[in-house]
Amino acid sequence: MPFLVLLLLIGGVIAAPGVLLDRSWKVGGQVQAAMERGEAPSNEVVEVSILRLKNARYRKGRSLPEWVQELDGKKISLWGYMAIGTLEGLGEFELVPESCECGKSKVNHFVQVTLDDDVTRFIPGRITLVGTFSCGEVEEDGFITSVYRLSTDQLP
Amino acid sequence: MNRLVRLAAVAALALCPSVSAQAQETPARQYTPEQIDRLIVHAQSGSAVIRPQAAERLARIGKPAADRLLAMAGTSLGELALLGPSLIEVLGRFDDPRFRALLWPAMEDAEFPWRPAVSRSLAHRPLPAEWGRLQGFLEDPIAPVRLATLDALALLSSDGDAARAVPFEPLAVARLTDENDVVRRRAAVLLDGRGHSRALLWLLEDLQRTDTYFDLPTGEAARYAAANALQALDIELAGFEAYLPPTTETNQAALGSLKERLLTRARASEAKLPDATRALVPRTVPAIARVGGPVEGARLGLLLKSCRRGDYYLRWTDDDQLIIGYGNPARVKLPEGTTRRLMAAADTAQEANPGKVYWGRPGCDMESFRMPRVGQPDARLQQLILSKDERPAPDLRPAALSTLGAAMAASIPTDDVLDASDPRTRELAQRVRGAFASIGGPVAPR
């Protein structure tokens, strides 16, 4: 009996991070299924919901869900709103699911957009961008500054 | 089997404090005062994404950071406000009564700019003596304050004090008709944790939402939130996918299975409750929390987000209806010609400010006007935005937009016409005027 308890404890310690912190969340499948059906070859635009990205399971230092990783390097179409604090004349801005984010952002709640041939001007209202998506943590000075990024030529 | 593994994992973590201790931040003694000050600067003036991370790190440092923040917080609300929302949000985690003494006056001052952050700070580890004081904030005009208060009371009610555990449940049940869907969902989850699993049917309703506020997919956002909340309770979604419309064949099948699952859970949990509380949660989901029908012909919109006065989602339709809220919004018939008159005022506002779509500076207070573009009635609606930070900006709104705002406020029917039992319509005109005044300055009285 003591051996069984010990075994359970050891098993629990090993399983804890995976079981308690990284339960598999049933998200995604649409992109994968579409690709399997041959509907979205890699050189074509994949439509992605910013809400779905926001709700994808993210924990610092851990892998993003598979369906997000599969988008890395692909051309995607994404709607969203310019973060309300977007300044004019810059080469990048945050695309958010709602226009008011109250001065703070969770790192997985926005897409960092880089403009290759344009500078920012504030556009109120929903915009749709097409560009190359990349994902994964970018760290600066010990802080995670982005998880999702989109490189696009210009604003609509 | 999975349950057994989870049980073992929980037992292991509980019995091996050293395991969880390793996940803590580097010990405080390794941070120099300069490093702490640098983190404070990041938490106050870093980018929007860095501020909460820096504040979180300070909270983990403990006493040295607390001492520094206490010196900065001063003794007045003005000094406390200067810390900014990210730092204020973590003050309650230091378990220092001096911070609570600073936070409570801020919570009770309707003009304090960072009350959502204050409420979350106080809710982190509420004190039993604060029960009565907290309860009053369940009716606060700001949804995040109501949410944090609900969490605080839930924490207090689960501390083993049976005498207090009883009154929490009716308080949570009352929040099931909150005008804000986030608050309703939290109330449902908290009630499930106390054996009232019938409340999870509120989340099932949210999974079926497809509503929008113009181009803002409020229904889709609710589906994700409800799905996440159910999964956090280890409830299998039977294949439901939040990103797909609820009407797809797979989601319809999933919703059917899920309904059965939730009803079984509700019956099982209720069987264990005392007779007196078994029927506490209503048998049917109230209208405010149900799936709403489509909103047709919305031509004008006013979205007010005030950190002091709350949020308002208003739409005026072609057939002169005022649509209040989202989800299953309240609908009020207006006198004929109201929307047409407001659209004329909207045209004037655009013509007075050609090409200009944004006024103010970044911040949490926002007025958003949606209207047809002048001369392009079929094009996508034009959106004009004002925003401001915590500082007053009484002259922020241009005159023509103030005229439009005044006309919009004046079109809201008087209280005797509106349903006083609906939190969305109760004293609506007065509350909308209050929100206007707190953002871009007052609009003319009726």
Side-chain angles (χ1 to χ4, degrees), chain A residues 124, chain B residues 349-350 353-360 382-385 398:
Chain B
Q350 287 179 77
N353 303 281
K356 190 148 169 73
V357 293
Y358 178 72
W359 290 262
Q382 175 68 286
Q383 198 176 350
L384 306 181
I385 290 182

Side-chain angles (χ1 to χ4, degrees), chain B residues 197-219:
Chain B
S197 297
R198 187 167 295 277
L200 294 182
L201 293 173
W202 268 243
L203 275 61
L204 183 71
E205 201 72 22
D206 278 343
L207 290 181
Q208 299 167 70
R209 281 176 50 186
T210 56
D211 52 278
T212 58
Y213 176 80
F214 295 102
D215 52 12
L216 197 62
T218 45

Side-chain angles (χ1 to χ4, degrees), chain B residues 77 145 151 167 205 212 227 245 275:
Chain B
L77 289 183
V145 172
D151 282 338
E205 201 72 22
T212 58
D275 288 347

Side-chain angles (χ1 to χ4, degrees), chain B residues 4-251:
Chain B
L4 187 67
V5 174
R6 285 180 58 77
L7 206 64
V10 171
L13 283 180
L15 293 171
C16 306
S18 61
V19 174
S20 49
Q22 281 170 7
Q24 299 292 314
E25 184 70 16
T26 315
R29 60 180 175 276
Q30 293 187 4
Y31 283 83
T32 63
E34 291 73 25
Q35 286 172 316
I36 289 174
D37 280 351
R38 203 174 310 136
L39 281 174
I40 289 172
V41 170
H42 279 307
Q44 285 183 301
S45 51
S47 71
V49 69
I50 284 178
R51 279 177 234 162
Q53 293 180 63
E56 175 69 27
R57 208 172 290 177
L58 284 161
R60 290 182 182 174
I61 289 173
K63 193 172 181 312
D67 289 344
R68 183 75 186 98
L69 288 170
L70 203 56
M72 290 175 68
T75 53
S76 70
L77 289 183
E79 287 170 291
L80 181 66
L82 289 175
L83 286 184
S86 296
L87 285 174
I88 287 173
E89 186 153 343
V90 299
L91 296 182
R93 294 176 51 181
F94 289 112
D95 278 339
D96 188 321
R98 290 171 296 178
F99 282 127
R100 296 195 87 75
L102 282 169
L103 289 167
W104 268 109
M107 180 80 156
E108 289 165 339
D109 181 352
E111 298 305 318
F112 190 78
W114 313 122
R115 289 183 66 249
V118 170
S119 63
R120 288 190 288 268
S121 203
L122 286 169
H124 186 71
R125 213 163 291 157
L127 303 175
E130 294 171 338
W131 177 270
R133 211 172 176 184
L134 279 165
Q135 226 176 291
F137 293 100
L138 284 173
E139 297 287 345
D140 197 88
I142 304 174
V145 172
R146 298 197 296 277
L147 187 70
T149 302
L150 195 61
D151 282 338
L153 293 171
L155 261 179
L156 284 175
S157 73
S158 57
D159 68 358
D161 185 341
R164 204 182 301 113
V166 178
F168 173 74
E169 295 170 9
L171 296 176
V173 169
R175 288 304 107 206
L176 288 174
T177 50
D178 196 283
E179 65 182 296
N180 183 281
D181 55 352
V182 180
V183 179
R184 291 198 300 268
R185 280 191 290 275
R186 186 67 63 88
V189 168
L190 292 170
L191 283 163
D192 171 71
R194 283 153 180 80
H196 297 277
S197 297
R198 187 167 295 277
L200 294 182
L201 293 173
W202 268 243
L203 275 61
L204 183 71
E205 201 72 22
D206 278 343
L207 290 181
Q208 299 167 70
R209 281 176 50 186
T210 56
D211 52 278
T212 58
Y213 176 80
F214 295 102
D215 52 12
L216 197 62
T218 45
E220 187 185 347
R223 295 202 301 272
Y224 280 111
N228 289 345
L230 289 168
Q231 286 183 304
L233 294 171
D234 269 344
I235 294 173
E236 173 58 43
L237 294 186
F240 183 86
E241 291 284 13
Y243 66 86
L244 294 173
T247 47
T248 62
E249 204 174 312
T250 48
N251 271 354

Side-chain angles (χ1 to χ4, degrees), chain A residues 8-13 15-16 19-20 23-31 49 51-53 55 60 79 81 84-87 94 97-107 110 122-127 140-146, chain B residues 2 4-6 8-13 15-16 19 39 42 48-54 57 86 89 120 215-217 220-221 224-225 228 231-232 234 236 239-241 243-244 305 307 313 357-358 362-364 366 370 380 383 385 387:
Chain A
L8 267 176
L9 282 176
I10 292 169
V13 169
V19 174
L20 294 178
R23 282 172 296 181
S24 62
W25 284 58
K26 194 167 173 53
V27 290
Q30 186 188 40
V31 172
S49 162
L51 280 175
R52 197 164 172 222
L53 287 174
N55 283 281
K60 188 179 173 185
W79 65 263
Y81 297 82
I84 204 86
T86 299
L87 301 172
E94 290 181 7
E98 267 202 76
S99 53
C100 182
E101 289 287 319
C102 252
K104 65 171 194 174
S105 304
K106 286 189 178 171
V107 71
F110 68 90
F122 183 68
I123 304 175
R126 181 168 160 160
I127 54 174
E140 288 171 27
D141 204 13
F143 300 107
I144 307 295
T145 54
S146 72
Chain B
N2 188 36
L4 187 67
V5 174
R6 285 180 58 77
V10 171
L13 283 180
L15 293 171
C16 306
V19 174
L39 281 174
H42 279 307
V49 69
I50 284 178
R51 279 177 234 162
Q53 293 180 63
R57 208 172 290 177
S86 296
E89 186 153 343
R120 288 190 288 268
D215 52 12
L216 197 62
E220 187 185 347
Y224 280 111
N228 289 345
Q231 286 183 304
D234 269 344
E236 173 58 43
F240 183 86
E241 291 284 13
Y243 66 86
L244 294 173
K305 281 177 170 267
C307 270
Y313 291 75
V357 293
Y358 178 72
C364 348
M366 184 182 79
R370 283 179 169 87
R380 204 175 66 155
Q383 198 176 350
I385 290 182
S387 79

Side-chain angles (χ1 to χ4, degrees), chain A residues 2-116:
Chain A
F3 177 71
L4 185 64
V5 171
L6 186 66
L7 202 65
L8 267 176
L9 282 176
I10 292 169
V13 169
I14 293 167
V19 174
L20 294 178
L21 302 178
D22 193 30
R23 282 172 296 181
S24 62
W25 284 58
K26 194 167 173 53
V27 290
Q30 186 188 40
V31 172
Q32 191 174 344
M35 287 174 178
E36 283 168 3
R37 288 194 302 271
E39 290 173 2
S42 58
N43 60 340
E44 288 189 8
V45 177
V46 181
E47 199 173 312
V48 180
S49 162
I50 194 170
L51 280 175
R52 197 164 172 222
L53 287 174
K54 174 187 170 181
N55 283 281
R57 188 71 166 157
Y58 165 73
R59 274 183 186 279
K60 188 179 173 185
R62 301 185 79 91
S63 298
L64 288 162
E66 205 173 315
W67 72 268
V68 179
Q69 292 182 52
E70 283 172 0
L71 292 172
D72 195 66
K74 295 216 161 48
K75 191 169 252 194
I76 70 164
S77 159
L78 189 70
W79 65 263
Y81 297 82
M82 274 188 160
I84 204 86
T86 299
L87 301 172
E88 303 221 326
L90 300 179
E92 58 180 17
F93 68 95
E94 290 181 7
L95 190 75
V96 293
E98 267 202 76
S99 53
C100 182
E101 289 287 319
C102 252
K104 65 171 194 174
S105 304
K106 286 189 178 171
V107 71
N108 57 328
H109 286 193
F110 68 90
V111 176
Q112 186 73 32
V113 176
T114 307
L115 299 169
D116 298 330

